[in-house]
Amino acid sequence: MDRRSFLKLLGLGGASVGIVAPGEAFAAGSGKGPRYAMVVDLRRCVGCQSCTVSCGLENRTPVGDFRTTVGEYVLHDAETKRSFVASLPRLCNHCEKPACIPVCPVKATYQRPDGIVVIDGTKCLGCGFCVQACPYGARFLNHETKTADKCTFCAHRLAAGLLPACVENCVGGARHFGDVNDPESLVGRLLREHDGALAVLYPEKKTEPSVYYLGLDPFFVSAADVAAPMPYRDLRQGGNHA
């Protein structure tokens, strides 16, 4: 399958973002145990979908369903009047205050002490309430298991001392993962070095995401500017997205 054919399968929502105030990224990491987070350096993301493919293979998601995706958007520079393509990786944000947990009628979705939000498949009814509640469009109903599904930061790999599959296989080295409570971890250093320059998705939702972005274009600040990625119909036909 070529890249364009693969992109046809992807379904992504739009995004709005907000800059994280200096020191705010460490506010959640005040506990004694590990608190996991991810930093996505968009200056290194090439939109290759390696993260999407490796996640699908690692977690055996059904064809057409994804725990992480990369949307491609055409942005316009008002000064130069030129257009360019920007990539925006998306996944579960493992929020400090997840919107998906309180709506679950059987408490199948819960948050571990290390901050990772997971789903107990033995309890999940597949009602879809959590899918609707997630402001990031990061959940889906797995038609094979009949339960809700999403990114888990590859918790099974973490238990074995490994990195999430998307991080390990990112060809541009754009994804970084680690313990916020450890200031010497890679993520700890990045949060400290780029304090005040980090962005999170939908800060107005007050979910306090644990996925941070570096180098995010100002175009993404307003959800009204980018409602959806490039239409896949145009990708198939080779149309002009500008």
Side-chain angles (χ1 to χ4, degrees):
M1 180 183 293
D2 60 24
R3 184 168 181 266
R4 286 190 174 183
S5 297
F6 178 76
L7 284 172
K8 290 190 299 182
L9 298 174
L10 301 181
L12 301 175
S16 67
V17 301
I19 300 301
V20 179
E24 190 173 308
F26 284 100
S30 58
K32 296 181 180 179
R35 198 73 172 181
Y36 294 115
M38 182 178 292
V39 174
V40 182
D41 189 343
L42 295 175
R43 301 169 300 180
R44 292 177 172 270
C45 179
V46 297
C48 68
Q49 304 291 348
S50 175
C51 53
T52 306
V53 174
S54 59
C55 173
L57 293 173
E58 177 69 31
N59 296 290
R60 300 181 180 180
T61 54
V63 174
D65 289 329
F66 307 95
R67 290 185 175 188
T68 186
T69 49
V70 181
E72 293 185 316
Y73 303 79
V74 168
L75 307 186
H76 302 272
D77 189 317
E79 294 183 0
T80 64
K81 300 185 183 302
R82 300 185 64 179
S83 300
F84 59 96
V85 176
S87 299
L88 182 62
R90 303 291 299 274
L91 68 158
C92 172
N93 282 249
H94 297 278
C95 309
E96 285 294 313
K97 300 176 181 178
C100 54
I101 291 180
V103 300
C104 180
V106 293
K107 299 184 179 180
T109 291
Y110 64 96
Q111 188 170 44
R112 304 188 336 176
D114 57 13
I116 298 178
V117 177
V118 293
I119 303 168
D120 185 342
T122 64
K123 293 182 178 180
C124 181
L125 302 175
C127 64
F129 290 167
C130 62
V131 175
Q132 298 177 40
C134 176
Y136 309 105
R139 287 173 169 247
F140 62 93
L141 289 178
N142 189 313
H143 63 266
E144 292 182 354
T145 63
K146 310 300 181 184
T147 60
D149 203 335
K150 69 172 197 68
C151 161
T152 64
F153 273 162
C154 281
H156 61 290
R157 290 176 60 88
L158 298 182
L162 302 172
L163 290 170
C166 64
V167 176
E168 188 171 281
N169 291 283
C170 180
V171 298
R175 296 196 179 206
H176 308 284
F177 180 84
D179 179 10
V180 174
N181 285 341
D182 180 2
E184 298 308 316
S185 69
L186 177 57
V187 163
R189 295 198 305 271
L190 286 172
L191 294 180
R192 184 171 62 252
E193 293 170 4
H194 297 280
D195 193 18
L198 299 164
V200 296
L201 300 180
Y202 301 121
E204 72 277 7
K205 299 296 182 180
K206 302 185 184 303
T207 58
E208 300 180 17
S210 294
V211 174
Y212 304 93
Y213 293 89
L214 283 173
L216 197 65
D217 191 279
F219 182 87
F220 288 102
V221 170
S222 173
D225 289 337
V226 183
M230 291 190 293
Y232 303 121
R233 179 187 62 183
D234 287 348
L235 284 174
R236 293 196 298 271
Q237 298 177 353
N240 182 9
H241 307 292

